[in-house]
Amino acid sequence: MSKLNIGIILGSTRQGRVSPQVGEWVKRVADQRGDANYEIVDIADFKLPLLGEADATEQATAWNTKLASLDGFVFIVSEYNHSITASLKNALDYARDAWNNKAAGIVSYGSVGGARAAEHLRGILGELSVADVRVHPALSLFTDFENGTVFKPADMHLTNVNGMLDQVLAWSGALKTLR
């Protein structure tokens, strides 16, 4: 069986965001495993306008094509006002079938590890027929980021990242049989 394709989705688009640092760290850990094809998928690259505000046929097609090429996901989620970012919610809403019957892991960060954003994302993923996995690396802005801007994760997070990836791969492989 060929390797699964797992997208590491950066869930923030704002200037000065730290999600690229977190995503690159997850990708380095994942690539060392050699068990799947991992790639960073930055929603900022797709330039999706707010849903319904402009003709976004070209952007939506590119976004859905990218999602359809993936077997599973790892969401890098920052917590904004106790929830996910507007840009992530917007990107989730731009697709439907491309999400269905796939698995996802969540790596969150925020003042309480991004836990509230992760919980909101789990509800949305359920509606999109995405099976989210249990293991959830939660990173603290106070202990895993220097001055809130430079990502320096504690070594203890490696166990959770690898556990989450184990579950994402197991579920992604199982759900691939439904698609």
Side-chain angles (χ1 to χ4, degrees):
M1 186 165 130
S2 62
K3 288 185 177 180
L4 296 170
N5 297 310
I6 307 297
I8 300 169
I9 299 179
L10 304 183
S12 176
T13 59
R14 73 169 177 81
Q15 289 283 52
R17 64 196 171 137
V18 295
S19 61
Q21 293 177 63
V22 178
E24 288 296 334
W25 172 70
V26 170
K27 187 175 185 315
R28 279 192 305 276
V29 172
D31 285 345
Q32 289 175 356
R33 298 163 53 99
D35 53 5
N37 301 313
Y38 298 95
E39 69 176 288
I40 300 286
V41 179
D42 190 346
I43 60 177
D45 293 342
F46 292 87
K47 303 196 181 338
L48 297 165
L50 286 177
L51 188 64
E53 286 197 352
D55 177 25
T57 303
E58 184 177 328
Q59 297 98 315
T61 299
W63 177 240
N64 277 270
T65 299
K66 170 48 68 185
L67 296 176
S69 74
L70 301 168
D71 299 304
F73 313 100
V74 173
F75 287 91
I76 307 301
V77 181
S78 53
E79 185 171 312
Y80 283 64
N81 297 320
H82 294 206
S83 192
I84 63 174
T85 64
S87 55
L88 177 56
K89 179 62 168 90
N90 192 55
L92 290 162
D93 289 345
Y94 259 102
R96 184 71 192 180
D97 294 339
W99 297 117
N100 294 173
N101 296 317
K102 296 181 181 179
I106 300 169
V107 177
S108 64
Y109 60 93
S111 62
V112 291
R116 297 168 293 208
E119 288 306 309
H120 283 184
L121 180 57
R122 288 180 193 283
I124 297 164
L125 293 176
E127 182 61 25
L128 295 171
S129 296
V130 176
D132 60 288
V133 302
R134 184 189 67 77
V135 178
H136 165 210
L139 309 166
S140 170
L141 284 178
F142 304 114
T143 59
D144 295 307
F145 293 85
E146 187 174 280
N147 299 320
T149 59
V150 179
F151 183 51
K152 294 188 175 184
D155 289 340
M156 67 178 190
H157 295 301
L158 290 174
T159 300
N160 278 343
V161 169
N162 278 301
M164 182 243 346
L165 291 171
D166 288 343
Q167 291 180 345
V168 167
L169 291 180
W171 280 93
S172 293
L175 289 169
K176 190 169 185 170
T177 63
L178 298 177
R179 299 189 308 275

